């Protein structure tokens, strides 16, 4: 054979070797592509190697070792669509919140190198396979928030490297296997919200490294075991909503690092052990709804870090000890439904951080102290069903954030102060006292008559400058209401009948459909046949029956409807009278115009609309968890909205606003960003809504325009108080308020004003975080919280030019997050306002420097 032929063959073989990827790479690429977890725009890009796909990384040998998708893509489909046996090098698999279904495939058990497995927040069913014991390198296992059933396999006890185990929010039953006691490296054990029963096994007392134990919302029985005192590293102990009985063990006082203790809704009896006073780091103490008796021990006065105390629905007696009023960091104090007695001292004014105070259904007496006016952050006050006397303190008027006030069933007398000057007050009950005089007009207009009944000397103020007794109004009010309801019902039914006739003879003024689908299945298209959609809407809401109404907005009512295809939608319907108002009509059409131009996963999706003078409505995807505002004000839902979800929520909102300001075909400013307009779906994901006041930006000329002030009080940029010039920096300020509200758990209020006038030097970050949540347990979450607050403070700058753009904020979230140079508890708001970012190791994040426009 000639030398030329040999050289040719050699070069051919070399080209084949170089050109063809190794077999394992071909199989990995095939597994990724066949899973259909990535969109065609990624898999179809022949110039993009799979190692560069979003959420995929490879090791030094080019083999896939990480898949990190979370909510980057809504994968959907079945978890078994991925052939895990073809990914032998996989060490990190994060598929949280990706809408996956099906069972956990046995192929996952072949991933012997896996250290991190997160399948949480999906719709997985079936049992947890015992073969997970083969994942001998596993350190983190999260399968929470699915529909996994059956018992916990004892084989889990073989995963001796496991540090974090979360099986919460599933349908698991049976008992906790004794083998869990072998997991000596375990730091976090979460089995909450299942159907587990029996007693806590003795073997759990061996897990002395644990920081978090959450067995809440199950059917555990027996006493709380004394060996719980062995877990001296615990920071969070949640045993609420079970069937534990007996005494609270005094050994609980050994848990010196404990910050959160929740034992509510069990069958505990006896008194509070004195040893709880040794828990010097305790911030949350919840013993609500048990059978505890006796007095509050003086030893609890040592717990000066406490911010949340709930002892309600027990049989506690005696006066409140004076130390209660020295717990100056309290934000939540609930003692209702006990047998406490005595008066409330003026020292209550020391609790300047208090947000919620509930002392109802006790035996308190004396006057309500005027010092209650010092509680400037107070949102909820319930002193009902006691023996309070004297006048309603006029100082309540200055509590600007007060939203709920209940003083009913006491012996209060005198005049009613002008409480409605508190713009957030939406619930009021002053019934069954001895109040007298005229009911302030603004209260009559804002609250039902039941808020004032049982006060014989109260009366309305008549417009003719005469007075008429309240009792006569009460007597006739139901008749007027009944007549009004009948009259309005007749009008609604008649109008709907006429509209249905009209739709047969005249076209609904809608955009012509791109496609036409029967049975109202228009959810995949923007423009639809008005007649078909209209008929489905009428049937689904029974002619907009009030029982389907779930709220009222700025210019219409919102209804929930389930269409023939099974889809639930939200309907915003403009009332007929408002439809005749040009300003309402303009806002309604404005919302349609802008939402039909927007395509972003964190902006509410408009499925359809009907624009006709006789009947106007918009059709949205339905948000099961309502608004962020309501979720943060519900203690149960607020806890469900944990730190990770809050971080995602703020980031998603930032990305949506960045898209609106900078990436839209026609950039726009929202003008009404508030927690009421951030809606949450069933997975607590955020969507920006309510585009009725949105205006387009013209970046080719000036990004400013003059308009009437729009927005929600408390979220409006301060410069609008002296100018009507609106630009995207107004949205930036509102975003800053929402971001702070999400982290604090309430409207930031005074904190914002303090920061606008001073450095915030004395305010520590961990002091202002929502006390209903434990401190973040993951460093990545802690870093994200610090970054969010830092960016929020920049957004709240009084000078609009000093605020970042939403694009800069969005990029800061996407940039690599550097580690914290200081302990989380050592970071102050002043440091977060400091541009040098001294709280980070190595300086600012890749996108957090230079955020100012100046």
């Amino acid at each position: 054979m000639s030398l030329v032929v040999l050289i040719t063959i050699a070069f051919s073989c070399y080209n084949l070797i170089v050109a063809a990827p190794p077999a394992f790479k071909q199989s990995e690429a095939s597994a990724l592509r066949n899973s259909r977890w990535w969109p065609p725009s990624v898999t179809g890009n022949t110039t993009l190697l799979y190692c560069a796909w979003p959420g995929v990384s490879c090791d030094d040998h080019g083999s896939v070792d990480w898949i990190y998708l979370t909510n980057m893509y809504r994968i959907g489909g079945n978890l078994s669509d991925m052939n895990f046996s073809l990914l032998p090098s996989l060490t990190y698999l994060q598929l949280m919140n990706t809408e996956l279904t099906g069972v956990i495939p046995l192929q996952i058990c072949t991933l012997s190198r896996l250290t991190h497995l997160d399948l949480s927040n999906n719709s997985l069913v079936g049992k947890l396979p015992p073969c997970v014991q083969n994942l001998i390198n596993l350190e983190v296992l999260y399968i929470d928030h699915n529909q996994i059933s059956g018992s916990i396999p004892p084989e889990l006890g073989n995963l001796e490297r496991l540090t974090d185990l979360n099986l919460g929010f599933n349908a698991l039953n049976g008992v906790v296997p004794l083998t869990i006691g072998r997991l000596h490296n375990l730091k976090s054990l979460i089995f909450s919200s299942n159907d587990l029963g029996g007693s806590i096994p003795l073997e759990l007392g061996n897990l002395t490294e644990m920081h978090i134990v959450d067995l809440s919302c199950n059917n555990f029985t027996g006493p709380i075991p004394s060996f719980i005192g062995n877990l001296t590293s615990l920071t969070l102990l949640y045993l609420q909503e079970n069937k534990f009985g007996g005494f609270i063990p005094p050994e609980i006082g050994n848990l010196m690092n404990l910050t959160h203790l929740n034992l509510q809704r069990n069958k505990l009896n006896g008194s509070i052990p004195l040893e709880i006073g040794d828990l010097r780091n305790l911030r949350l103490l919840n013993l609500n709804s048990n059978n505890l008796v006796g007095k509050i021990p003086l030893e609890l006065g040592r717990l000066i870090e406490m911010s949340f105390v709930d002892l309600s629905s027990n049989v506690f007696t005696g006066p409140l000890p004076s130390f209660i009023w020295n717990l100056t960091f309290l934000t939540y104090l609930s003692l209702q439904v006990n047998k406490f007695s005595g008066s409330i001292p003026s020292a209550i004014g020391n609790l300047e951080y208090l947000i919620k105070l509930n002392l109802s259904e006790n035996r308190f007496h004396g006057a309500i102290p005027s010092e209650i006016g010092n509680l400037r952050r107070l949102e909820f006050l319930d002193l009902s069903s006691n023996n309070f006397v004297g006048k309603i303190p006029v100082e309540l008027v200055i509590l600007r954030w007060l939203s709920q006030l209940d003083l009913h069933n006491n012996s209060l007398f005198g005049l009613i102060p002008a409480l409605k000057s508190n713009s957030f007050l939406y619930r009021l009950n002053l019934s069954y006292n001895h109040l007298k005089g005229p009911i302030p007009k603004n209260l009559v207009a804002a609250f039902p008559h039941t808020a004032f009944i049982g006060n014989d000397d109260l009366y309305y103020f008549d417009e003719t400058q005469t007075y008429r007794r309240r009792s006569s109004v009460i007597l006739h009010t139901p008749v007027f209401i009944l007549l009004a309801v009948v009259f309005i019902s007749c009008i609604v039914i008649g109008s709907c009948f006429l509209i249905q006739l009209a739709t047969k003879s005249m076209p609904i003024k809608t955009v012509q459909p791109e496609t036409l689908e029967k049975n109202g299945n228009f959810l995949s298209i923007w423009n639809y046949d008005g007649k078909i959609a209209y008929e489905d809407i009428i049937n689904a809401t029974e002619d907009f029956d009030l029982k389907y109404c779930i709220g009222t907005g700025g210019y219409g009512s919102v209804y929930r409807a389930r269409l023939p295809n099974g889809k639930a939608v939200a309907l915003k319907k403009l009332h007929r009278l408002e439809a005749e108002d040009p300003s309402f009509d303009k806002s309604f059409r404005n919302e349609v115009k802008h939402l039909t131009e927007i395509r972003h996963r964190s902006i509410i999706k408009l499925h359809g609309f009907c624009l006709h003078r006789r009947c106007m409505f918009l059709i949205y995807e339905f948000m099961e968890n309502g608004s962020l505002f309501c979720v943060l004000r519900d203690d149960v839902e607020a806890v469900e909205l944990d730190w990770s979800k809050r971080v995602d929520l703020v980031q998603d909102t930032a990305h949506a606003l960045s898209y609106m300001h900078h990436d839209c075909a026609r950039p726009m400013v929202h003008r009404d960003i508030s927690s009421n307009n951030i809606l949450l779906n069933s997975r607590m994901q955020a969507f920006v809504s309510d585009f009725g006041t949105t205006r387009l930006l013209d970046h080719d000329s000036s990004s400013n325009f003059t308009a009437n002030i729009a927005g929600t009080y408390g979220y409006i940029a301060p410069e609008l108080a002296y100018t009507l010039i609106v630009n995207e920096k107004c949205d930036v300020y509102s975003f800053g308020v929402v971001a702070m509200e999400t982290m604090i758990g309430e409207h930031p209020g005074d904190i914002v004003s303090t920061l606008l006038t001073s450095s915030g030097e004395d305010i520590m970050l961990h002091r202002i975080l929502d006390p209903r949540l434990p401190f973040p347990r993951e460093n990545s979450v802690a870093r994200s919280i610090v970054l969010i607050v830092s960016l929020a403070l920049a957004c709240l700058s009084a000078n609009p030019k000093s605020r970042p753009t939403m694009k800069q904020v969005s990029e800061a979230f996407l940039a690599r997050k550097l580690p914290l140079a200081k302990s989380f508890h050592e970071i102050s708001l002043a440091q977060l306002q400091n541009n040098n970012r001294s709280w980070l190791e190595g300086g600012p994040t890749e996108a957090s420097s230079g955020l100012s426009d100046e």
Side-chain angles (χ1 to χ4, degrees):
M1 187 178 294
S2 67
L3 181 62
V4 174
V5 173
L6 288 173
I7 292 175
T8 302
I9 292 174
F11 268 102
S12 299
C13 293
Y14 175 79
N15 288 333
L16 284 172
I17 293 172
V18 172
F24 77 88
K25 289 190 176 182
Q26 289 181 333
S27 62
E28 288 188 340
S30 175
L32 297 180
R33 190 171 289 107
N34 292 337
S35 70
R36 299 184 297 279
W37 288 0
W38 287 265
S41 58
V42 173
T43 58
N45 187 347
T46 57
T47 64
L48 187 65
L49 296 176
Y50 65 83
C51 287
W53 287 5
V56 177
S57 71
C58 296
D59 58 21
D60 294 338
H61 303 290
S63 186
V64 175
D65 62 349
W66 273 49
I67 296 180
Y68 186 99
L69 291 180
T70 64
N71 56 1
M72 183 183 304
Y73 294 118
R74 299 291 186 264
I75 292 172
N78 199 296
L79 180 61
S80 300
D81 290 342
M82 175 69 78
N83 188 347
F84 291 104
S85 63
L86 298 180
L87 304 174
S89 300
L90 201 61
T91 62
Y92 195 102
L93 180 60
Q94 178 98 9
L95 299 176
M96 176 186 71
N97 199 16
T98 47
E99 300 183 358
L100 284 167
T101 60
V103 300
I104 299 175
L106 299 181
Q107 290 178 354
I108 274 189
C109 299
T110 65
L111 304 176
S112 58
R113 297 187 183 182
L114 205 61
T115 62
H116 184 108
L117 176 59
D118 188 346
L119 305 176
S120 60
N121 284 276
N122 285 293
S123 299
L124 301 175
V125 297
K127 297 182 179 182
L128 185 61
C131 68
V132 293
Q133 67 176 331
N134 297 335
L135 306 178
I136 55 175
N137 289 300
L138 202 61
E139 298 174 3
V140 173
L141 177 59
Y142 294 153
I143 311 184
D144 54 288
H145 291 82
N146 281 284
Q147 299 165 34
I148 304 298
S149 58
S151 58
I152 300 174
E155 289 81 1
L156 277 180
N158 295 331
L159 304 179
E160 296 183 357
R161 296 190 179 185
L162 210 59
T163 61
D164 294 87
L165 175 59
N166 190 343
L167 304 179
F169 291 88
N170 279 289
L172 296 167
N173 53 40
V175 298
V176 176
L178 307 183
T179 54
I180 295 294
R182 301 177 190 165
L183 305 178
H184 295 285
N185 292 307
L186 205 61
K187 290 181 171 57
S188 174
L189 174 66
I190 301 176
F191 289 163
S192 58
S193 297
N194 281 285
D195 196 23
L196 299 169
S199 58
I200 300 178
L202 178 64
E203 287 72 11
L204 260 63
N206 300 328
L207 307 183
T208 56
E209 297 296 316
M210 283 202 294
H211 293 183
I212 295 173
V213 171
D214 186 352
L215 305 179
S216 61
C217 303
N218 281 286
N219 295 307
F220 290 112
T221 56
I224 297 175
S226 59
F227 65 72
I228 207 81
N230 298 340
L231 310 181
T232 53
S233 297
L234 275 185
T235 60
L236 185 152
L237 177 59
Y238 278 174
L239 302 178
Q240 72 267 25
E241 298 191 47
N242 280 285
K243 298 176 182 177
F244 290 116
F247 296 168
I248 300 173
E251 290 81 2
I252 210 163
N254 297 340
L255 310 181
M256 306 292 288
N257 294 305
L258 205 63
T259 62
H260 287 64
L261 175 61
N262 195 336
L263 306 178
Q264 71 166 328
R265 296 181 186 173
N266 279 288
K267 298 179 179 181
L268 300 171
N269 52 47
S271 58
I272 298 176
L274 307 183
E275 288 79 4
I276 283 187
D278 295 331
L279 308 180
R280 301 298 180 89
N281 292 303
L282 202 64
R283 299 179 69 226
L284 180 148
L285 175 63
N286 194 340
L287 304 178
N288 171 26
S289 298
N290 282 286
N291 298 309
L292 299 170
V293 299
K295 298 181 179 180
I296 300 178
L298 296 177
E299 285 75 8
L300 264 64
R302 306 171 190 162
L303 309 183
I304 59 175
E305 297 288 322
M306 280 205 297
S307 60
F308 184 109
V309 174
D310 189 346
L311 306 180
S312 57
S313 298
N314 283 286
V315 199
F316 292 118
T317 56
L320 295 180
S322 59
F323 72 76
I324 287 283
W325 318 116
N326 296 325
L327 303 178
T328 54
F329 291 116
L330 275 182
T331 61
Y332 184 110
L333 177 60
S334 186
L335 305 175
Q336 80 265 27
V337 195
N338 277 287
K339 296 182 179 180
F340 290 116
S341 58
S343 59
I344 306 301
S346 59
I348 192 175
N350 297 339
L351 308 182
E352 59 183 57
Y353 289 102
L354 206 59
I355 296 171
K356 181 172 182 176
L357 175 61
N358 194 337
L359 305 180
S360 64
E361 297 189 51
N362 279 285
R363 299 172 180 177
F364 294 115
H365 55 77
I368 301 173
S370 60
E371 286 78 7
I372 207 162
N374 295 340
L375 311 181
R376 299 301 177 87
R377 300 169 187 259
L378 201 63
E379 296 179 10
F380 181 104
L381 176 61
D382 190 345
L383 305 179
S384 63
S385 298
N386 281 285
N387 298 308
F388 288 113
V389 297
K391 297 182 178 181
I392 299 175
V394 69
E395 287 79 7
L396 289 177
V397 173
I398 63 178
L399 301 181
R400 56 187 300 219
W401 302 113
L402 192 64
S403 59
Q404 300 184 62
L405 174 62
D406 193 342
L407 303 178
H408 86 273
N409 199 19
N410 280 287
S411 298
L412 300 171
F413 55 80
L415 302 178
I416 300 176
L419 294 168
K420 194 52 182 172
S421 59
N422 308 64
S423 58
F424 286 100
L425 191 66
Y426 71 87
R427 180 174 173 266
L428 175 68
N429 192 347
L430 304 179
S431 63
Y432 298 103
N433 281 284
H434 304 301
L435 301 170
K436 65 179 182 179
I439 303 172
K441 296 180 191 177
N442 55 355
L443 298 184
V444 172
F447 301 104
H449 75 280
T450 52
F452 309 103
I453 61 175
N455 292 279
D456 292 338
D457 293 323
L458 279 182
Y459 44 79
Y460 281 129
F461 183 80
D462 201 337
E463 295 298 333
T464 61
Q465 303 303 311
T466 61
Y467 294 95
R468 56 183 178 175
R469 289 291 173 185
R470 180 70 188 173
S471 57
S472 65
V473 177
I474 295 172
L475 179 64
H476 292 92
T477 297
V479 178
F480 289 130
I481 293 175
L482 180 60
L483 290 174
V485 169
V486 172
F487 180 68
I488 292 171
S489 299
C490 291
I491 291 176
V492 171
I493 293 171
S495 299
C496 291
F497 177 72
L498 290 174
I499 292 171
Q500 291 188 59
L501 290 177
T503 56
K504 296 179 180 179
S505 58
M506 58 187 297
I508 299 293
K509 188 177 180 181
T510 56
V511 183
Q512 289 300 313
E514 296 173 1
T515 58
L516 180 62
E517 299 187 25
K518 297 295 183 181
N519 299 321
N521 188 13
F522 51 83
L523 299 183
S524 61
I525 58 178
W526 283 90
N527 305 317
Y528 61 94
D529 181 79
K531 182 177 178 182
I532 293 176
Y534 175 80
E535 291 174 349
D536 287 340
I537 295 304
I538 290 296
N539 292 333
T541 60
E542 298 180 32
D543 291 344
F544 291 101
D545 191 289
L546 287 178
K547 68 183 179 183
Y548 294 98
C549 184
I550 57 176
T552 56
Y555 46 80
S557 295
V558 181
Y559 297 79
R560 183 183 188 275
R562 187 169 295 279
L563 299 176
N565 61 4
K567 294 286 185 180
V569 294
L571 309 169
K572 183 187 287 188
K573 181 179 181 291
L574 187 63
H575 303 305
R576 185 173 180 182
L577 291 178
E578 282 83 351
E580 295 173 358
D581 186 327
S583 62
F584 283 113
D585 180 76
K586 181 179 180 182
S587 292
F588 211 69
R589 295 176 184 275
N590 201 40
E591 188 154 1
V592 172
K593 180 179 73 173
H594 291 112
L595 282 177
T596 52
E597 297 174 354
I598 289 176
R599 300 291 190 276
H600 192 278
R601 67 180 182 86
S602 294
I603 294 178
I604 192 78
K605 185 176 181 182
L606 181 69
H607 288 317
F609 54 88
C610 176
L611 299 182
H612 190 279
R613 189 178 65 176
R614 294 184 179 180
C615 190
M616 301 176 68
F617 55 82
L618 311 181
I619 308 171
Y620 296 101
E621 56 184 322
F622 181 68
M623 296 285 118
E624 292 85 348
N625 278 310
S627 70
L628 173 62
F629 177 89
C630 292
V631 168
L632 289 177
R633 278 146 186 85
D634 183 286
D635 293 334
V636 175
E637 292 183 343
V639 172
E640 184 181 346
L641 192 65
D642 59 26
W643 289 125
S644 295
K645 291 175 183 173
R646 295 191 192 201
V647 167
D648 289 343
L649 183 155
V650 173
Q651 293 181 357
D652 289 347
T653 303
H655 298 328
L657 289 175
S658 175
Y659 167 84
M660 286 180 59
H661 291 179
H662 304 283
D663 300 321
C664 238
R666 295 198 295 170
M668 57 189 73
V669 57
H670 188 283
R671 299 178 70 209
D672 193 12
I673 294 297
S674 71
S675 59
N676 261 318
N677 289 333
I678 306 297
L679 302 184
L680 307 177
N681 66 7
S682 60
R683 301 180 184 278
M684 290 292 189
Q685 294 162 336
F687 295 81
V688 178
S689 71
D690 206 338
F691 287 74
T693 59
T694 300
R695 294 291 183 89
L696 294 176
L697 293 170
D698 184 3
H699 290 294
D700 293 333
S701 54
S702 171
S703 60
N704 301 330
F705 59 84
T706 302
N708 295 327
I709 292 181
T712 302
Y713 176 77
Y715 300 85
I716 301 173
E719 63 268 19
L720 290 180
Y722 52 84
T723 176
L724 295 180
I725 301 300
V726 178
N727 59 26
E728 62 268 39
K729 290 302 181 73
C730 298
D731 278 356
V732 173
Y733 180 89
S734 301
F735 166 80
V737 178
V738 171
M740 288 293 286
E741 182 176 359
T742 306
M743 296 295 105
I744 296 173
E746 58 168 326
H747 189 283
D750 293 340
I751 292 177
V752 173
S753 7
T754 301
L755 294 172
L756 292 178
T757 56
S758 66
S759 66
E761 185 68 43
D762 296 327
I763 303 178
M764 303 305 292
L765 171 61
H766 74 276
R767 291 285 191 199
I768 69 167
L769 295 182
D770 193 334
R772 295 168 294 187
L773 296 184
F775 285 128
R777 58 189 173 90
E778 296 181 359
N779 289 333
S780 60
V781 176
R783 291 197 301 270
S784 295
I785 292 174
V786 172
L787 179 60
I788 284 173
V789 176
S790 174
L791 294 171
L793 295 178
C795 293
L796 292 172
S797 171
N799 182 358
K801 292 184 178 179
S802 297
R803 296 173 200 154
T805 65
M806 287 311 305
K807 190 175 186 67
Q808 289 171 320
V809 174
S810 176
E811 289 174 348
F813 286 133
L814 296 173
R816 180 174 63 91
K817 295 179 179 64
L818 297 176
L820 300 177
K822 296 187 174 185
S823 163
F824 186 78
H825 290 73
E826 295 176 347
I827 298 175
S828 70
L829 298 191
Q831 291 167 330
L832 298 187
Q833 283 183 295
N834 193 337
N835 287 330
N836 65 20
R837 300 289 190 265
S838 60
W839 39 272
L840 287 175
E841 290 183 4
T845 60
E846 294 171 0
S848 64
S849 58
L851 288 179
S852 171
D853 280 355
E854 292 185 323

